[in-house]
Amino acid sequence: MPRISALALVVYASALQPPLTARLRANALRAEPGGPPPGVAATGGPPRGPPPGTPGGPPGVKGGPPGGPPGGPPKQRDETNAVVDAAVDALFSLLYLGDDSGAADSSKNLRVLWTRAVLSGRGIIDDPQAFEWLPTNTRWLVSPENAKRLPESLIEKLEWIGSRTRFLDQAVDAFLAEHASPQIVVVGAGYDTRCARYGGRAKFFEVDLPSAVEAKKRILATRSPSVTVEHLPLNLEDLKAGPSLPERLASSTSFDASRPTLYVFEAVLFYLSPPACSALLDAALTQGARVALTDSLTKLGVAPRGPAPPPNKAACAEFFEGRGGALGAHDVRWGGALHYADVVASSSTA
């Protein structure tokens, strides 16, 4: 397969939501690049089906809400997505032949990393680490030179992953500028590269499903052995009962709830039940921490208000005020189905 055709297939598949295979995967905690995440309908409705970490996983979507990529999302048909997904699975088996990165993960989870390398190569985001974590023998496919050869129509479908990365990086930059010895908790971390990109400027903790944690540890060991990050293997649905996330972190890691803390949520709440979402946000704000998220709040009562940011920002601000938080920077995508929010707790230590 010609190099650009192969790369285009990876990125195109990343812009789709393959519902058939999504139903079969239990490890579906993170969102795919491009288009609305599984279960987010045109009105920004909540995910349907079992929560992540349980058999079945979240289903896919058809169509997409207003404010999505130019020209709207690609038409979603189960049989088409299944074919594309199978093709990409086959392609990734080739991309990872003789893999020296240590990933050994599903193509669905790895697509985000490859897509970030593409966006960084085009200068849309600043994430050179994504390229470094790819297999040495095949990462030339997403070199800056090759990434720039991809058609704009393809890259436009990934706008939301580029914009959410920039928003969260800006929140991290602002947080680090205000504190001398901070800590950052990345929830549903997957192959998030911030522990490497911001290494040495903050103490990092990552929370994810056990299988995702093990895959991340392998990549760090082979690609970034000097990076220090502590992991908490956890099904986030377990937070509906029992100890809170800060309590679990404190009991299993060197996490210190009295230190300035930033919690990062990047397309995670989509896949959780309302009680689990509430438990996560309430525990962070009760701790006095800062919260930066690019996620859906619809299932928690923040209904989409259309493509204009002001009414959505007002609704988001009211939601967080009721939970003891003050909304700072804010943006929306998909008609308000997706919020970008930087929130500081009223009793802030951050």
Side-chain angles (χ1 to χ4, degrees), residues 74-86:
K75 292 182 179 179
Q76 303 292 301
R77 297 173 60 181
D78 283 5
E79 62 272 20
T80 301
N81 284 344
V83 169
V84 171
D85 207 42

Side-chain angles (χ1 to χ4, degrees), residues 34-59:
V40 181
T43 57
R48 300 174 295 276
T54 60

Side-chain angles (χ1 to χ4, degrees), residues 56-320:
V61 300
K62 297 183 180 180
K75 292 182 179 179
Q76 303 292 301
R77 297 173 60 181
D78 283 5
E79 62 272 20
T80 301
N81 284 344
V83 169
V84 171
D85 207 42
V88 174
D89 281 343
L91 175 59
F92 267 79
S93 68
L94 297 176
L95 292 176
Y96 278 83
L97 277 177
D99 175 28
D100 60 351
S101 72
D105 203 349
S106 70
S107 69
K108 178 178 285 289
N109 292 339
L110 291 165
R111 286 178 212 173
V112 177
L113 191 60
W114 284 81
T115 302
R116 289 189 188 280
V118 169
L119 295 177
S120 185
R122 292 178 67 97
I124 295 172
I125 64 175
D126 183 17
D127 190 356
Q129 196 66 49
F131 181 83
E132 296 299 322
W133 284 3
L134 300 178
T136 304
N137 292 337
T138 55
R139 64 188 182 191
W140 55 268
L141 271 170
V142 290
S143 66
E145 178 186 37
N146 284 333
K148 289 169 184 173
R149 292 174 178 169
L150 287 169
E152 287 297 327
S153 59
L154 219 62
I155 299 302
E156 286 173 354
K157 297 182 185 301
L158 305 176
E159 187 279 338
W160 89 290
I161 199 168
S163 61
R164 82 189 196 194
T165 299
R166 292 192 301 271
F167 183 91
L168 292 175
D169 283 354
Q170 289 167 3
V172 170
D173 289 336
F175 174 72
L176 294 177
E178 296 171 8
H179 302 287
S181 57
Q183 54 190 11
I184 296 177
V185 180
V186 185
V187 183
Y191 294 106
D192 188 283
T193 62
R194 292 181 179 91
C195 64
R197 290 193 283 126
Y198 291 95
R201 299 179 59 190
K203 196 166 189 175
F204 271 84
F205 302 87
E206 294 188 344
V207 184
D208 211 328
L209 293 168
S211 60
V213 166
E214 290 307 310
K216 182 65 167 288
K217 285 181 177 180
R218 290 193 296 268
I219 274 198
L220 288 172
T222 58
R223 287 290 189 264
S224 302
S226 63
V227 171
T228 301
V229 56
E230 297 184 55
H231 295 92
L232 176 64
L234 178 68
N235 183 335
L236 297 174
E237 287 294 325
D238 293 344
L239 296 173
K240 291 183 293 188
S244 67
L245 180 56
E247 290 170 335
R248 291 171 188 258
L249 282 166
S251 65
S252 301
T253 69
S254 63
F255 179 82
D256 182 353
S258 67
R259 292 177 61 178
T261 305
L262 170 68
Y263 287 86
V264 176
F265 297 86
E266 186 168 1
V268 176
L269 303 181
F270 287 109
Y271 304 116
L272 300 177
S273 65
C277 292
S278 292
L280 277 164
L281 295 177
D282 289 345
L285 294 173
T286 299
Q287 181 195 328
R290 187 166 179 166
V291 171
L293 63 83
T294 52
D295 232 310
S296 172
L297 299 174
T298 305
K299 71 184 72 176
L300 295 177
V302 186
R305 307 296 176 90
N312 286 292
K313 182 175 183 178
C316 187
E318 181 179 1
F319 168 79
F320 279 110

Side-chain angles (χ1 to χ4, degrees), residues 315-343:
C316 187
E318 181 179 1
F319 168 79
F320 279 110
E321 284 172 8
R323 282 178 144 80
L327 179 64
H330 179 268
D331 204 350
V332 293
R333 291 295 185 277
W334 308 333
L338 178 68
H339 286 266
Y340 295 4
D342 189 357
V343 184

